[in-house]
Amino acid sequence: GKKVLIVYAHQEPKSFNGSLLKIAVEELTKQGCSVTVSDLYAMQFEPRATRNDIVGRLHNSEAFNYGVETWEAYKRGGLSRDVVEEQKKVQEADLLIFQFPLFWFNMPAILKGWMDRVLVQGFAYDLSKAYDGGLLQGKLSLFSFTTGGSQEMYSKGSISGDIRYVLWPMQHGIMHFCGVKVLEPHICYAPENVSEEKRKEMLTAWTQRLKTLWKEEPIDCSPEWYFK
Amino acid sequence: GKKVLIVYAHQEPKSFNGSLLKIAVEELTKQGCSVTVSDLYAMQFEPRATRNDIVGRLHNSEAFNYGVETWEAYKRGGLSRDVVEEQKKVQEADLLIFQFPLFWFNMPAILKGWMDRVLVQGFAYDLSKAYDGGLLQGKLSLFSFTTGGSQEMYSKGSISGDIRYVLWPMQHGIMHFCGVKVLEPHICYAPENVSEEKRKEMLTAWTQRLKTLWKEEPIDCSPEWYFK
């Protein structure tokens, strides 16, 4: 069976995001996948990139450079335990699913901190190993999120612009940069502002999509997809 | 004199970001501005949006909804002290400067957490008070950051795309949404990979820009500026 890591960033299990997580765990497990969940708020995951991420002596203690220090620490096995554990989960996964509510046209800080701290140089990319040559080649990713605004607000020509504009930094700038292929995002628009019936339809649609997920082709993660 | 809040996200005072901060504090103070700095790492600023941000009883303790709870708490003066202090600084400022290194096509998590926790509904925007009607009207903002990649990499047609693509969520999705006008970003490309002479030129350019900053017109923060 395939291995899936779900990185989940919502405080409340009874939330709509919580329901989407539950569906993914159940459906993928039913398919025979091995599913791991990093429940960031429950783990009280540290989002701040600090000196604490390096165990032992610094490469250059005169002037702290997070990028250089984590790269050096990665090479000698000196990253903090919470980061190493997340890297192990990423290493083993065939598919990474990110489940979160969109906060300010982006992921919540706790999830951004996961990206900042886990995907360090040497592990996820290297000097000349980025984009299609990124070190996490062979893996798939999927951004699944809820919004506050409606689908109409997130369309080209509307005030909030095409929803794809906000996907560029996440899908291209992070996942593609690390060599990870990107499946179509799964977006539930404004679940708090629709009827209970519509919410149920959204949950059903997620279950249905997951049933044939492994047959999907990744998107063409190029500027044309985002800004055409 | 004008009031300026600099929200600064770098761990190391001796860094290039640290030099840019120092220059801004000195130059703006010399002009007679009153300058406040929120040094997020030094403050150990909390980036996680949790129940701890609400003092006292929750509006709905059955299912925690961060957006609803912080909105309600704001109205009754029940937000946590660190958030209230940042809101006071924002309220008093004529200009917000964000100084940080670009991490993964975006701001570092600690700064994203500042946005998530400080700019709550009721304070920064409200139901029908967003974009040009946002509650922080009358203020200016400026994103000043360093990159790892070169200017050539962040140009249209290059692999990392036009640098303006990454500005959309920050400038439009956050600042414009709150009614804050946006000045041209100040971008120092790859300071770690250029000569000492070039780095000095970059610092001088920042000083020079700050001298005439108050005469600048805000950008036209519309999709055309970002994606033309």
Side-chain angles (χ1 to χ4, degrees), chain A residues 155-228:
Chain A
S155 59
K156 215 168 179 168
S158 287
I159 185 76
S160 295
D162 194 322
I163 191 72
R164 290 190 175 188
Y165 298 165
V166 311
L167 292 164
W168 173 257
M170 306 182 212
Q171 292 186 350
H172 180 77
I174 307 179
M175 287 300 123
H176 188 185
F177 189 88
C178 298
V180 178
K181 301 262 187 204
V182 178
L183 296 177
E184 282 277 351
H186 199 84
I187 309 170
C188 292
Y189 289 97
E192 292 184 21
N193 300 328
V194 300
S195 65
E196 186 58 32
E197 193 190 342
K198 184 77 190 144
R199 265 194 296 279
K200 279 186 189 160
E201 282 173 27
M202 286 182 184
L203 296 176
T204 306
W206 181 223
T207 311
Q208 289 305 316
R209 178 170 176 198
L210 289 166
K211 286 189 193 302
T212 54
L213 196 72
W214 300 102
K215 291 179 187 162
E216 289 187 18
E217 287 295 318
I219 65 162
D220 169 31
C221 199
S222 71
E224 290 69 34
W225 189 88
Y226 297 90
F227 308 113
K228 67 168 186 304

Side-chain angles (χ1 to χ4, degrees), chain A residues 9 41 100-103 106-113, chain B residues 47 49 109 112 116:
Chain A
Y41 287 103
F100 58 98
L102 199 69
F103 270 25
N106 214 313
M107 51 195 120
I110 199 168
L111 179 53
K112 179 57 167 50
Chain B
K112 179 56 166 53
D116 292 351

Side-chain angles (χ1 to χ4, degrees), chain B residues 158-179:
Chain B
S158 287
I159 186 76
S160 295
D162 194 322
I163 191 72
R164 291 190 175 188
Y165 299 165
V166 309
L167 292 164
W168 173 258
M170 307 182 209
Q171 293 187 348
H172 180 77
I174 307 180
M175 287 299 124
H176 188 186
F177 190 88
C178 296

Side-chain angles (χ1 to χ4, degrees), chain A residues 10-12 14-15 40-41 44-51 61-66 68 103-110 112-117 119-120 124-125 131 153 157-162 165-166 168-170 172-178 192 223 227, chain B residues 10-12 14-15 40-41 44-51 61-66 68 103-110 112-117 119-120 124-125 131 153 157-162 165-166 168-170 172-178 192 223 227:
Chain A
H10 200 288
Q11 308 92 344
E12 175 56 60
K14 288 181 218 156
S15 65
L40 300 183
Y41 287 103
Q44 299 186 48
F45 188 80
E46 172 61 72
R48 290 165 288 207
T50 72
R51 193 257 172 265
S61 58
E62 291 299 304
F64 182 75
N65 181 316
Y66 188 79
V68 170
F103 270 25
W104 289 119
F105 279 45
N106 214 313
M107 51 195 120
I110 199 168
K112 179 57 167 50
W114 187 94
M115 305 285 179
D116 292 351
R117 297 179 61 233
L119 304 177
V120 304
Y125 65 97
Y131 291 112
M153 285 167 67
S158 287
I159 185 76
S160 295
D162 194 322
Y165 298 165
V166 311
W168 173 257
M170 306 182 212
H172 180 77
I174 307 179
M175 287 300 123
H176 188 185
F177 189 88
C178 298
E192 292 184 21
F227 308 113
Chain B
H10 200 288
Q11 307 93 342
E12 174 57 60
K14 288 181 219 156
S15 65
L40 300 183
Y41 287 103
Q44 299 186 47
F45 188 79
E46 172 62 73
R48 290 165 287 208
T50 71
R51 194 255 173 267
S61 57
E62 291 299 303
F64 182 74
N65 181 316
Y66 188 79
V68 169
F103 271 26
W104 289 119
F105 279 46
N106 213 313
M107 51 195 119
I110 199 168
K112 179 56 166 53
W114 186 94
M115 305 285 179
D116 292 351
R117 297 179 60 233
L119 304 176
V120 304
Y125 66 96
Y131 291 112
M153 283 167 70
S158 287
I159 186 76
S160 295
D162 194 322
Y165 299 165
V166 309
W168 173 258
M170 307 182 209
H172 180 77
I174 307 180
M175 287 299 124
H176 188 186
F177 190 88
C178 296
E192 293 183 22
F227 309 112

